[in-house]
Amino acid sequence: MYKEIVIMGTPVGLRERSKAELRGITIGDSLAYRFFDGKFHGMPLLFAEAKGIVVSPSKSI
């Protein structure tokens, strides 16, 4: 999946990470978020997008 976002007026292309590329991501995070790779001003960044409503640990009690 390919997406585009805008940061400070600059379009940033995002490429969704495959499951094989999600080393180090917890199972809970992989179920709650989609992860994307992008570059902003030449710096590689990881972006996360919630798949649904995300409840913080303090709110779940």
Side-chain angles (χ1 to χ4, degrees):
M1 174 188 286
Y2 184 80
K3 289 184 155 209
E4 187 173 276
I5 61 171
V6 178
I7 301 174
M8 297 174 42
T10 304
V12 177
L14 303 178
R15 180 190 62 82
E16 187 168 9
R17 279 195 176 186
S18 69
K19 289 185 181 192
E21 295 175 300
L22 292 178
R23 291 183 319 237
I25 304 294
T26 66
I27 292 172
D29 287 340
S30 66
L31 292 173
Y33 299 95
R34 280 186 207 78
F35 294 92
F36 297 87
D37 289 304
K39 281 190 177 181
F40 182 66
H41 290 292
M43 180 176 289
L45 299 171
L46 174 64
F47 295 84
E49 175 184 50
K51 290 181 179 178
I53 297 172
V54 178
V55 180
S56 70
S58 64
K59 299 285 184 187
S60 63
I61 297 176

